[in-house]
Amino acid sequence: MSEEAALLAEIVANPDDDGPRLVLADFWTQRGDPRGELVVAQCAEARERAKPRPDLAVLVPLRVRAAALLQAHENRWVEPFGVPADAVGWERGF
């Protein structure tokens, strides 16, 4: 099993744990894959949203960056699954 496949399996096995997601994000980022940045931005956004008083100065730039990444790459990312991009919801990079 490849390192990427092992990390994906860990994410599936532990869907509420951001640790494996962030390890995979580093893996992707090191290879120039923008999915890594999306995972990092959306995980940070989820942590901020979970606070009793989310800081909009932190939250808004994370949302803007995630939206820009999705606009630029989403169609390519969902193409292998045969679904339209507008049918997909993204949470913590997946």
Side-chain angles (χ1 to χ4, degrees), residues 46-61:
R47 282 191 309 275
E48 190 62 35
R49 278 194 330 258
K51 293 179 179 178
R53 291 185 155 172
D55 183 345
L56 291 179
V58 172
L59 194 59
V60 171

Side-chain angles (χ1 to χ4, degrees), residues 24-62:
L24 182 58
D26 286 342
F27 177 88
W28 281 335
T29 299
Q30 290 171 4
R31 285 153 184 78
D33 188 328
R35 290 179 296 177
E37 188 179 357
L38 177 68
V39 172
V40 170
Q42 286 195 328
C43 284
E45 178 186 342
R47 282 191 309 275
E48 190 62 35
R49 278 194 330 258
K51 293 179 179 178
R53 291 185 155 172
D55 183 345
L56 291 179
V58 172
L59 194 59
V60 171
L62 291 168

Side-chain angles (χ1 to χ4, degrees), residues 65-78:
R65 184 61 188 144
L69 287 163
L70 289 170
Q71 183 176 12
H73 304 286
E74 182 176 35
N75 287 330
R76 182 172 46 89
W77 292 340
V78 301

